[in-house]
């Protein structure tokens, strides 16, 4: 028979078993951490009606959409988890209680140009808190805590959550009479890290007709650096000139004030006036998270406050705040950087049992006992040589191998080899279980990510 | 602004938060149980190249495929998890160790006619064991154990795993010289429960030209009932006439022999000669699982042994055995039948903290402490009346509410109300944590499914 050459589409991550185990571990930590903060899991369809999904979209986004006809229906695959959330909240408004806190970890689809580290199918891990009409600033103050908890549970230490407030930026540009140009100005300022202050000034003056003195004011403003207290003090100097600015500064003060109570260490947090996060969606606090040793990766967790989640679907005012982790890309980058802890178990089983008797009953009964004790157990009953079976355990990094022969069965013990240390014990079943469990606890001690 | 009416496509399950929590709990149990048996998680793309995915498909399946163009690519959404597994194993053959045991819980897509309880996007939860060239019968004996463990951990008691062996059926039909008609005969016999033996006989004789005496033989054969021992003894009477039959019976004997060692109670297992599971894919043991009180649902977990997983992709002989749970449909049916335990917590949080002071620091610090203790905690800092906040906790079924006012803070206690009993305590933080944890353990005691 002619064979079809098997292949996986480019831009689609398909992991081998060992890295998949690491990915699962990360997802489990995300689910647990998000749950600790009172977020409920949601699972919306991957396919939506195009007219519903694309009610807001346009331009660059629309080009990337996987959109197709099925029968009479014009369908699209979701390209993020925010639009489906907006649809969900608008559709189920009467059945939800607000503030509505949900997390969703799911695949989204964007037909981007394929290149290394760019994915067309990728996981996003989102949390959002949606208010009905109003949403207290405390929610914005809580977000850095969730980011901190998530990344430190994963094992990261050298990361920084950078925070700004769009009201401060908008208020500042309003002071200069630059409100209409603020989108262009922010987009230019966003390039500061890449092109430097002089080039920024040139673009502001030449391309967007900002006056020399205003451009200097802008550069002076975004150059405000220092500890959080120093930045906040410097910002105090701008108060009393624009109401929006003052409100933004008050919000930023609140966010900073509660940091310690929320358990965020000062070194993992910075007020950073250069952060703007896109152009019109965000209206209050905005967040970016960078790995201090890998600034080239960019932000690994971003988001912010918005005033109107679902304006394309409902008249209800639904303000919210949310963040998103681009999980597939993050996982890829961590792998590239050698930051995934190779010491953590990635085997499909904790124990491989090699029955050495014709009658398999004792080996099967032992497997059943181990599983009842919560130990992931595989029986290896294939007709293969002993050496091949040991090599199988070795290749899969299965930490323990149990040999069960007539000798062991007759005296009621189990021969168990620790594959790492090479140490072999002959203990009864319960003692063997205890030893394996202690060993596994030791193996599981490390964090998923190492720096 | 004109609004787009939000809607979710028909045939796509989108759950409200409370049932979604129940679904998550089921998925967690599946992941844990499959892992206990040494299966490793996989996650293959939802989209595949059409020529790869449809290498085997045809007829009815092909019509249901979500297939579309994107740029120059002819793409399709996966319609099951078996074809992607075949592709995966053929593609990554050199990087895998065999037997290869994987589980995958993922969404698949079939554009079926929309009707109540039928889904176009639905989860399948599959396990498969793939051998390289050979695969021992012990794997087939282990499958009922996994089914039993899965469903009993979910809380089901009144279910039965029905097992047959295709070699027994094929061998039996070969004895009668009906090999060429065996597909038609099995398809007819499959209707036995619905149309009764007389109608089956009429179809066999009139539509498929089976002789009267052969038809009687067939009916007599599939009427073999009784305990496993009785059925196996009756089958002994047919041995010595066909090699394939004898091999099938020997396999079935092995499967039954190891049941008790694998921890499967006799009442949850039955040899059932009427089970055939489709036509040409399966070659050995086949499985169906029925809920004894809901036979109308049909099989909730099915599968079997096959000899050639990936023949469309590779020359390698890759025999395997696997089972699949149609999770979305099962969840829907359990809900319809009122079998989802309403007593289990479905709230987004275990505790809702209502700060009663202007300064939120003590409340936030308390939330941080509770979260560190593993308690899912939500702060409610919105500008709302006390009554509205209590009603929020009530609507979401949050089990504990904590009030933190000046009085409590000054004496170092926490006022905590058990929302179910109404009992309110004033204890210090650690004592409150202990009380909540004990209460939660009690709440979590039940199983997901109740009969």
């Amino acid at each position: 028979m002619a064979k079809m050459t098997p292949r996986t589409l480019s831009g689609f991550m398909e992991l081998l078993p060992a890295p998949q185990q690491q990915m699962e571990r990360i997802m489990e930590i995300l689910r647990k951490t998000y749950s600790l903060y009172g977020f409920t899991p949601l699972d919306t369809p991957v396919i939506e009606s195009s007219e519903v999904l694309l009610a807001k979209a346009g331009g660059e986004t629309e080009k990337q959409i996987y959109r197709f006809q099925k029968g009479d229906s014009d369908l699209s695959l979701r390209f993020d988890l925010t639009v489906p959330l907006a649809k969900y909240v608008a559709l189920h408004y009467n059945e939800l209680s607000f503030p509505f806190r949900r997390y969703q970890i799911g695949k989204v689809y964007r037909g981007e140009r394929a290149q290394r580290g760019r994915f067309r199918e990728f996981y996003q891990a989102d949390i959002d808190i949606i208010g009905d009409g109003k949403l207290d600033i405390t929610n914005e103050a809580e977000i850095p805590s969730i980011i901190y908890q998530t990344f430190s549970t994963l094992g990261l230490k050298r990361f920084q959550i950078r925070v700004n407030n769009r009201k401060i930026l908008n208020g500042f540009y309003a002071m200069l009479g630059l409100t209409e140009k603020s989108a262009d100005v922010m987009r230019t300022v966003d390039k500061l890290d890449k092109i430097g202050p002089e080039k920024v000034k040139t673009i502001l003056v030449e391309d967007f007709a900002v006056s020399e003195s205003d451009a200097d004011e802008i550069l002076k403003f975004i150059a405000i650096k220092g500890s959080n207290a120093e930045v906040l003090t410097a910002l105090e100097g701008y108060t009393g000139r624009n109401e929006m600015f003052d409100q933004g500064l008050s919000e930023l003060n609140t966010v900073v004030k509660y940091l310690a109570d929320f358990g965020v260490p000062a070194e993992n947090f910075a007020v950073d006036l250069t952060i703007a996060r896109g152009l019109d969606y965000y209206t209050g606090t905005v967040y970016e998270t960078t790995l201090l040793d890998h600034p080239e990766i960019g932000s690994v967790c971003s988001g912010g406050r918005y005033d109107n989640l679902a304006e394309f679907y409902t008249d209800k005012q639904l303000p919210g705040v949310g963040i998103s982790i681009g999980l597939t890309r993050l996982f890829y980058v961590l792998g590239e950087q050698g930051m995934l802890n190779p010491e953590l178990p990635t085997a499909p089983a904790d124990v491989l049992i090699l029955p050495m008797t014709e009658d398999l009953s004792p080996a099967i009964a032992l497997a059943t006992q181990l599983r009842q004790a919560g130990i992931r157990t595989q029986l290896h009953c294939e007709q293969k040589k002993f050496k091949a079976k040991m090599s199988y355990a070795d290749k899969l990094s299965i930490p323990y191998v149990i040999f069960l022969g007539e000798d062991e069965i007759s005296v009621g013990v189990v021969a168990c080899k620790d594959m790492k240390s090479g140490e072999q014990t002959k203990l009864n079943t319960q003692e063997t279980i205890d030893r394996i469990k202690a060993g596994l606890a030791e193996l599981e001690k490390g964090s998923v990510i190492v720096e």
Side-chain angles (χ1 to χ4, degrees), chain A residues 168-240:
Chain A
I168 290 178
L169 295 182
N170 291 332
F172 171 73
Y173 291 120
M175 285 180 213
L176 299 181
L178 291 173
T179 296
E180 281 178 23
K181 293 177 184 170
S182 67
D184 292 326
V185 172
M186 281 192 240
R187 219 180 301 118
T188 309
V189 165
D190 218 27
K191 297 174 187 158
L192 187 69
D193 279 352
K194 280 184 198 144
I195 63 177
E198 279 182 40
K199 199 86 208 281
V200 165
K201 184 176 170 182
T202 309
I203 297 174
L204 290 178
V205 172
E206 292 181 4
D207 294 6
F208 302 117
V210 173
S211 73
E212 288 259 350
S213 65
D214 282 353
D216 286 335
E217 274 290 322
I218 292 168
L219 286 170
K220 188 182 140 204
F221 182 79
I222 59 174
I224 296 173
K225 294 265 148 75
S227 69
N228 294 334
E230 285 164 355
V231 173
L232 291 170
T233 305
L235 290 175
E236 283 301 328
Y238 292 86
T239 53

Side-chain angles (χ1 to χ4, degrees), chain A residues 52-163:
Chain A
V52 172
L53 195 73
L54 306 179
K56 179 184 179 179
E60 204 47 44
T61 312
E62 189 129 13
K63 265 189 270 168
Q64 299 182 346
I65 307 287
Y66 285 86
R67 181 175 181 169
F68 53 92
Q69 245 359 78
K70 175 80 183 165
D72 296 335
S73 306
D74 177 0
L75 305 174
S76 291
L77 306 189
R78 64 186 180 204
F79 53 90
D80 71 7
L81 300 176
T82 306
V83 177
L85 172 65
K87 182 214 75 175
Y88 184 93
V89 174
L91 179 59
H92 303 293
Y93 174 84
N94 289 318
E95 296 147 295
L96 300 175
S97 299
F98 295 89
F100 174 61
R101 298 161 78 96
R102 83 86 176 81
Y103 76 82
Q104 183 163 5
I105 301 173
K107 286 178 170 177
V108 305
Y109 296 83
R110 293 187 198 168
E112 298 202 62
R113 203 160 55 80
Q115 58 187 93
R116 218 173 142 65
R118 284 271 162 205
F119 295 93
R120 291 171 171 172
E121 174 184 75
F122 56 98
Y123 279 99
Q124 285 193 330
D126 282 21
I127 55 170
D128 286 271
I129 309 170
I130 312 297
D132 185 9
K134 283 198 252 181
L135 187 70
D136 196 81
I137 180 69
T138 327
N139 296 289
E140 286 163 66
E142 194 177 37
I143 294 286
S145 170
I146 305 168
I147 299 175
Y148 170 75
Q149 195 59 47
T150 302
F151 285 106
S152 48
T153 306
L154 288 172
L156 280 172
K157 287 179 194 73
R158 298 197 29 79
F159 65 93
Q160 193 172 49
I161 305 159
R162 297 189 179 159
V163 171

Side-chain angles (χ1 to χ4, degrees), chain A residues 364-380:
Chain A
I364 293 172
L366 177 64
T368 304
Q369 268 183 290
L370 293 177
R371 287 161 179 164
Q372 278 162 356
I375 295 172
R376 301 179 306 142
T377 305
Q378 182 185 341
L379 280 159
H380 198 322

Side-chain angles (χ1 to χ4, degrees), chain A residues 144 147-148 159-165 224-232 235 252 255-256 259 264-275 285-290 292:
Chain A
I147 299 175
Y148 170 75
F159 65 93
Q160 193 172 49
I161 305 159
R162 297 189 179 159
V163 171
N164 194 4
N165 191 300
I224 296 173
K225 294 265 148 75
S227 69
N228 294 334
E230 285 164 355
V231 173
L232 291 170
L235 290 175
L252 188 57
V255 170
V256 173
L259 273 182
V264 182
E267 66 263 32
N268 292 109
F269 182 90
V271 173
D272 184 336
L273 299 178
T274 65
I275 286 169
T285 312
V286 285
Y287 314 89
E288 289 192 356
T289 312
T290 48
L292 292 175

Side-chain angles (χ1 to χ4, degrees), chain A residues 27-43:
Chain A
M27 288 197 185
E28 175 70 9
I29 287 173
L30 294 184
R31 287 194 292 265
K32 282 244 168 91
T33 309
Y34 293 165
S35 295
L36 276 180
Y37 285 79
F39 291 85
T40 198
L42 276 196
D43 183 8

